[in-house]
């Protein structure tokens, strides 16, 4: 029986030349901190447009937020917020910068040790600074959700928190700002958003007809445009469709009232923190083997996926499921993302090293049925070699 609440307060401003809208979206009297990553937003002119649009507002800047943003770096931004009495945060970048900005928003107002924000998965947050975003990389959906992932470098801990207090007030999505993305990041974006949809769709049926059809439409959109986005020169329509698909994949809509998995993501975080793989690389490795190892509990949805997403209608049920998983893997590989641990020089002897931190981080009952134990993860890693 469907039973849920759904609310998403983020305003999306979508289209070419929309950065100038910052002038109406950011309060005139705000003391704004613009947060960004490495050099990409400076090089491609996004930051210049942001500075112009902010006009006479009191503006400060904090650069250097890394991919997989680190607690250590973000705490320096928190110091700046306090020193300059910042009251509005503007993230300019991809998921790492937006996630990092969400953390700064919560940490700047937090009493006590800010790492508690992660330890309590956001539960300890009672207030946060307002924030907005200018997105330059379509992948995570962070621009329209209340999640953030932060890594503590000193302990190699990649942890997440979520609280409605860090929903962006607005996000500007100008698809032309993604034109400078290298193929690797474009492919990562397709794989990440594909896996977000899979984690909310490939569980067990609950008669959520709208969520299912919507998820299938998003997956088919990615299958249609993914290889084109990665392998062909930039064009507005495919970048725009990728951006909107990635946003819709993780803004709460397709997840409303349905069981959710997230084992691929949570196990993947260990691969990133131990071996430095990109977030989406971990998903490309783990999703096919996760589906394979857990095919019994996901049987009905895997069959639905095989038929409706990949058009597979012949052969035995097992054969259709095998083919659907294989097509998923081939799809990732068609965009240049490797799907085997061995292709990233990770061998069988690393499996213990990967399973141990799962236990240490309390990741012992994952998945929509809480049946993904460290032992199941071991099988998934073994199937991913
Ligand atoms: O640092 P700069 O120089 O800006 O370069 C970035 C970075 O190196 C570059 N880039 C971004 N926009 C660009 C560009 N290069 C050229 N042109 C542009 N327009 O891309 C690189 C990767 O950026 P990053 O922000 O790290 O990528 P992504 O958006 O994939 O974010 C990944 C992070 O998001 C987390 C991941 O765990 C990871 O830490 N996630 C956040 C989620 C959420 N908030 O809901 C959900 C996801 O599942 C994910 O876990
Ligand atoms: Zn993801």
């Amino acid at each position: 029986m469907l039973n849920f609440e759904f609310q998403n307060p983020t305003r999306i401003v979508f289209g070419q030349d929309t950065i100038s809208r910052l002038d109406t979206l950011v309060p005139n009297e705000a003391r704004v901190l613009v947060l960004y990553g490495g050099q990409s937003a400076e090089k491609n002119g996004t930051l210049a447009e942001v500075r112009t649009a902010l006009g006479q507002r009191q503006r400060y800047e904090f650069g250097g937020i890394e991919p997989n943003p680190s607690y250590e770096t973000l705490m320096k931004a928190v110091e700046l917020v306090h020193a300059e009495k910042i009251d509005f945060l503007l993230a300019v970048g991809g998921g790492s910068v937006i996630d990092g900005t969400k953390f700064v928003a919560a940490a700047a107002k937090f009493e006590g040790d800010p790492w508690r924000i992660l330890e309590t998965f956001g539960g300890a947050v009672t207030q946060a600074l307002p924030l907005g975003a200018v997105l330059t990389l379509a992948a995570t959906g962070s621009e329209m959700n209340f999640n953030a992932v932060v890594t503590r470098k000193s302990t190699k801990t990649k942890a997440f928190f979520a609280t409605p207090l860090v929903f962006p007030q607005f996000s500007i999505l100008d698809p032309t700002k993604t034109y400078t993305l290298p193929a690797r990041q474009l492919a990562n974006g397709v794989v990440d958003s594909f896996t977000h949809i899979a984690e909310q769709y490939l569980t067990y049926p609950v008669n959520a007809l709208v969520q299912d059809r919507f998820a299938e439409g998003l997956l088919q959109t990615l299958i249609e445009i993914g290889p084109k986005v990665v392998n062909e020169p930039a064009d507005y329509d495919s970048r725009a469709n990728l951006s909107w698909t990635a946003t819709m994949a993780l803004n709460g809509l397709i997840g409303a009232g349905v069981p959710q998995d997230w084992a691929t993501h949570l196990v993947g975080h260990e691969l990133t923190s131990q071996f430095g793989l990109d977030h989406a690389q971990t998903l490309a490795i783990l999703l096919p083997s996760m589906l394979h190892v857990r095919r019994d509990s996901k049987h009905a949805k895997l069959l639905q996926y095989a038929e409706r997403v990949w058009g597979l209608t012949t052969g035995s049920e097992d054969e259709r499921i095998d083919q659907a998983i294989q097509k998923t893997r081939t799809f990732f590989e068609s965009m240049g993302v490797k799907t085997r641990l061995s292709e990233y020089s990770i061998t069988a002897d690393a499996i213990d090293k990967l399973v141990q931190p799962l236990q240490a981080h309390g990741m012992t009952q994952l998945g929509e049925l809480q049946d993904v134990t460290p032992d199941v993860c071991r099988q998934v890693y073994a199937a991913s070699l």
Side-chain angles (χ1 to χ4, degrees):
M1 192 201 304
L2 281 178
N3 211 334
F4 61 84
E5 281 187 30
F6 173 69
Q7 187 183 11
N8 191 314
T10 302
R11 176 196 292 210
I12 297 293
V13 178
F14 192 104
Q16 187 162 7
D17 298 330
T18 42
I19 291 181
S20 59
R21 289 286 305 281
L22 283 172
D23 188 32
T24 52
L25 293 165
V26 178
N28 278 326
E29 67 290 355
R31 295 172 69 82
V32 186
L33 180 63
V34 177
L35 299 100
Y36 60 96
Q39 282 307 303
S40 77
E42 187 76 79
K43 274 199 206 141
N44 68 15
T46 307
L47 274 175
E49 281 185 48
V50 166
R51 289 177 189 129
T52 304
L54 288 176
Q56 298 303 310
R57 290 173 183 80
Q58 281 286 339
R59 188 189 80 240
Y60 300 83
E61 297 188 0
F62 183 88
I65 297 180
E66 324 83 331
N68 307 303
S70 79
Y71 178 78
E72 289 83 350
T73 300
L74 299 171
M75 286 309 294
K76 292 187 186 142
V78 172
E79 276 174 33
L80 182 60
V81 166
H82 289 155
E84 300 298 347
K85 301 192 168 41
I86 300 293
D87 56 19
F88 196 95
L89 303 179
L90 183 64
V92 180
S96 293
V97 173
I98 303 177
D99 281 10
T101 301
K102 289 173 178 175
F103 178 76
V104 173
K109 293 273 191 176
F110 196 75
E111 284 175 23
D113 175 6
W115 187 249
R116 288 285 299 151
I117 296 171
L118 284 310
E119 280 174 343
T120 59
F121 307 108
V125 178
T126 55
Q127 46 181 338
L129 286 174
L131 65 123
V134 174
L135 183 72
T136 64
L137 193 170
T140 62
S142 188
E143 64 277 9
M144 199 181 180
N145 70 35
F146 60 54
N147 311 320
V149 191
V150 171
T151 298
R152 193 161 195 165
K153 275 195 211 153
S154 57
T155 56
K156 289 192 174 177
T157 307
K158 187 169 180 180
F160 74 92
F161 80 98
T163 163
L165 293 162
V166 298
F167 263 120
Q169 285 190 349
F170 63 81
S171 285
I172 294 180
L173 278 62
D174 177 346
T176 67
K177 294 298 165 230
T178 70
Y179 286 1
T180 51
L181 281 165
R184 168 170 158 187
Q185 297 302 342
L186 288 164
N188 280 351
V190 177
V191 171
D192 193 20
S193 40
F194 193 97
T195 309
H196 293 158
I197 304 161
E199 300 255 41
Q200 298 164 90
Y201 165 71
L202 281 172
T203 57
Y204 55 85
V206 290
N207 289 319
L209 303 190
V210 172
Q211 290 87 329
D212 275 9
R213 294 284 190 193
F214 211 124
E216 288 153 1
L218 294 173
L219 291 171
Q220 286 177 316
T221 304
L222 291 174
I223 291 164
E224 184 176 329
I225 63 174
K228 186 173 152 61
V229 162
V230 176
N231 301 321
E232 294 178 17
D235 76 285
Y236 186 82
D237 289 340
S238 53
R239 295 297 168 95
N241 280 300
L242 173 62
S243 294
W244 193 226
T245 306
T247 302
M248 296 304 278
L250 197 52
N251 69 353
L253 194 62
I254 62 169
V258 303
Q260 302 192 12
D261 184 341
W262 300 112
T264 296
H265 266 74
L266 293 170
V267 177
H269 288 173
E270 302 301 342
L271 264 177
T272 296
S273 42
Q274 299 299 320
F275 289 96
L277 268 56
D278 291 351
H279 172 61
Q281 292 173 335
T282 72
L283 308 174
I285 294 167
L286 293 169
L287 182 67
S289 33
M290 198 61 92
L291 297 176
H292 173 73
V293 169
R294 296 163 62 201
R295 59 194 294 149
D296 289 344
S297 65
K298 292 181 180 290
H299 186 84
K301 281 313 250 322
L302 279 170
L303 275 179
Q304 183 178 324
Y305 171 63
E307 180 178 340
R308 293 196 194 167
V309 175
W310 293 107
L312 299 165
T313 51
T314 56
S316 70
E317 293 191 345
D318 263 350
E319 282 166 355
R320 275 177 271 156
I321 289 173
D322 279 338
Q323 283 180 52
I325 295 172
Q326 184 54 44
K327 280 189 176 290
T328 308
R329 185 186 291 284
T330 308
F331 173 59
F332 294 164
E333 287 171 351
S334 74
M335 293 176 295
V337 187
K338 296 181 170 68
T339 64
R340 294 282 177 193
L341 283 171
S342 50
E343 294 172 297
Y344 298 88
S345 307
I346 300 172
T347 49
D349 53 345
I351 293 181
D352 278 341
K353 192 176 163 194
L354 287 163
V355 174
Q356 271 159 12
L358 281 171
Q359 249 143 356
H361 297 145
M363 303 287 161
T364 54
Q365 290 180 301
L366 304 177
E368 65 273 18
L369 298 169
Q370 289 91 54
D371 59 352
V372 182
T373 58
D375 192 48
V376 175
C377 296
R378 190 179 290 281
Q379 292 172 45
V380 171
Y381 278 129
S384 306
L385 286 168

